């Protein structure tokens, strides 16, 4: 037995799918009463702070109390309560859990940071890396790109 459904459906059983679903909701690919505002490039919840000069787009959600500093770039990501992205950091297609912090110049692409995880300045995390809750990476501890 089967049923043809023309509505939006996505199994959000992986972090990547969770980010995609959130991004689709914010961008307006589907209508839902779960969206607390108009669709657009970003959803900043009450108490979120996005500094002038920060680039936040691509369906990003910025949670309550989360901060994105000037000069930071956040694209297609989910920042939960009290997450923090420092000046010069780049976060793409990632999840920053409650209280997670990304230091200046750090790059995250397809990454999940657990509650209270800290990525020090100059780190580069990619390709599905998971940083467990409470872990602190010191400055320039991990780099995925080749030396040039």
């Amino acid at each position: 037995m089967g049923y043809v459904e023309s509505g939006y459906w996505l199994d959000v059983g992986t972090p990547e799918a969770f980010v995609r679903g959130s991004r689709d909701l914010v961008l307006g690919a589907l209508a839902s009463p779960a969206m607390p505002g108009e669709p657009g490039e970003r959803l900043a919840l009450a108490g979120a702070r996005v500094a002038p000069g920060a680039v936040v787009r691509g369906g990003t959600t910025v949670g309550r109390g989360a901060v994105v500093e000037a000069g930071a770039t956040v694209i297609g990501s989910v920042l939960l309560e009290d997450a923090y992205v420092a000046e010069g950091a780049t976060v793409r297609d990632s999840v920053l859990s409650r209280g997670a912090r990304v230091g200046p110049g750090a790059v995250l692409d397809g990454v999940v940071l657990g509650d209270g995880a800290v990525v020090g300045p100059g780190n580069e995390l990619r390709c599905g890396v998971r940083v467990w809750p409470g872990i602190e990476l010191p400055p320039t501890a991990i780099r995925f790109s080749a030396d040039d």
Side-chain angles (χ1 to χ4, degrees):
M1 238 293 162
Y3 176 79
V4 176
E5 172 61 57
S6 61
Y8 182 94
W9 185 88
L10 176 66
D11 178 354
V12 293
T14 65
E16 295 81 11
F18 170 74
V19 168
R20 179 178 168 200
S22 177
R23 184 173 48 232
D24 287 351
L25 183 63
V26 172
L27 289 171
L30 68 148
S32 171
M35 180 66 178
E38 293 297 314
E41 286 293 317
R42 71 180 185 209
L43 170 63
L45 297 177
R49 291 186 331 204
V50 176
V55 175
V56 180
R57 60 183 174 80
T60 293
T61 297
V62 184
R64 288 177 176 82
V67 174
V68 181
E69 289 191 338
T73 300
V74 182
I75 299 174
S77 296
V78 178
L79 281 55
L80 297 178
E81 293 175 7
D82 300 320
Y84 175 84
V85 181
E87 180 179 2
T90 300
V91 177
R92 180 183 303 274
D93 300 331
S94 297
V95 177
L96 277 58
S97 297
R98 290 174 184 87
R101 300 181 62 83
V102 178
V107 175
L108 279 67
D109 190 353
V111 172
V112 177
L113 297 184
D115 290 354
V118 177
V119 175
N123 281 290
E124 180 184 322
L125 307 176
R126 299 184 184 273
C127 306
V129 166
R130 311 301 192 247
V131 179
W132 299 122
I135 296 296
E136 294 189 27
L137 296 177
T140 62
I142 298 175
R143 183 172 172 197
F144 275 64
S145 61
D147 290 329
D148 293 349

